[in-house]
Amino acid sequence: MSLAGPRLATLLTLGAALWAATILVLPVARGSWLAGVVYEGGRLICHQRPERSFHLAGVQMPVCARCTGLYLSGAAGALAAWLRHRRDDAAPRAARFVLVAAAVPMAVSVAGELSGFLPSSNVSRLLSALPLGAAAGWIFVQSLRAERAWEGREVAL
């Protein structure tokens, strides 16, 4: 099956939006087999510490506050990327710069937390992750949508 750039961008966006919705809704449906699968999946990608996680309806979310920020903003960035086409002259170097710059708030948050210099809370963890998630979602979808050279060719994943 060929997954040309725009198709892969669509799958990435749908997957990101579905995951974001799932981590918000599933805590309420705790006890179902699907909730169990999501919480186990969350354990593969997140430490799931109760004190570093939000709780909805008294139930811990499947990922920590920082991961929640990454996933929610990543989905938002991917969805927003569909509202505007990427210009053909956009350079990959600019995308790398944006990703590095977007990672700074989270890096400062983590470093400050580990060193004890910056107090942290779940809200600050979530907020520090928002720029990186949004930038990554936007850049991945825009880059995939701009793929013209791959149209009609098989892409090995």
Side-chain angles (χ1 to χ4, degrees):
M1 175 171 112
S2 174
L3 284 179
R7 282 192 193 148
L8 189 54
T10 300
L11 290 174
L12 175 71
T13 303
L14 291 173
L18 180 62
W19 177 246
T22 299
I23 64 173
L24 289 174
V25 173
L26 257 284
V28 179
R30 191 167 183 145
S32 72
W33 69 269
L34 184 56
V37 169
V38 170
Y39 277 87
E40 285 301 313
R43 185 177 9 207
L44 296 174
I45 56 174
C46 179
H47 57 72
Q48 294 181 328
R49 288 184 178 170
E51 70 277 7
R52 292 189 179 189
S53 300
F54 288 112
H55 292 71
L56 299 176
V59 178
Q60 181 181 333
M61 291 181 65
V63 293
C64 71
R66 190 170 282 126
C67 288
T68 298
L70 285 171
Y71 295 129
L72 296 180
S73 63
L79 290 167
W82 287 95
L83 300 176
R84 182 170 174 261
H85 274 288
R86 178 179 174 209
R87 292 185 346 210
D88 290 337
D89 63 348
R93 186 179 309 170
R96 285 191 296 270
F97 174 78
V98 169
L99 280 175
V100 169
V104 168
M106 195 166 83
V108 168
S109 171
V110 170
E113 192 174 320
L114 291 174
S115 68
F117 287 127
L118 288 176
S120 63
S121 68
N122 286 340
V123 171
S124 67
R125 289 180 186 107
L126 178 132
L127 293 175
S128 73
L130 294 179
L132 181 57
W138 172 274
I139 289 169
F140 290 148
V141 169
Q142 284 293 328
S143 296
L144 289 168
R145 289 183 67 207
E147 286 293 329
R148 304 260 188 265
W150 294 29
E151 268 184 44
R153 292 177 23 191
E154 291 293 319
V155 178
L157 293 180

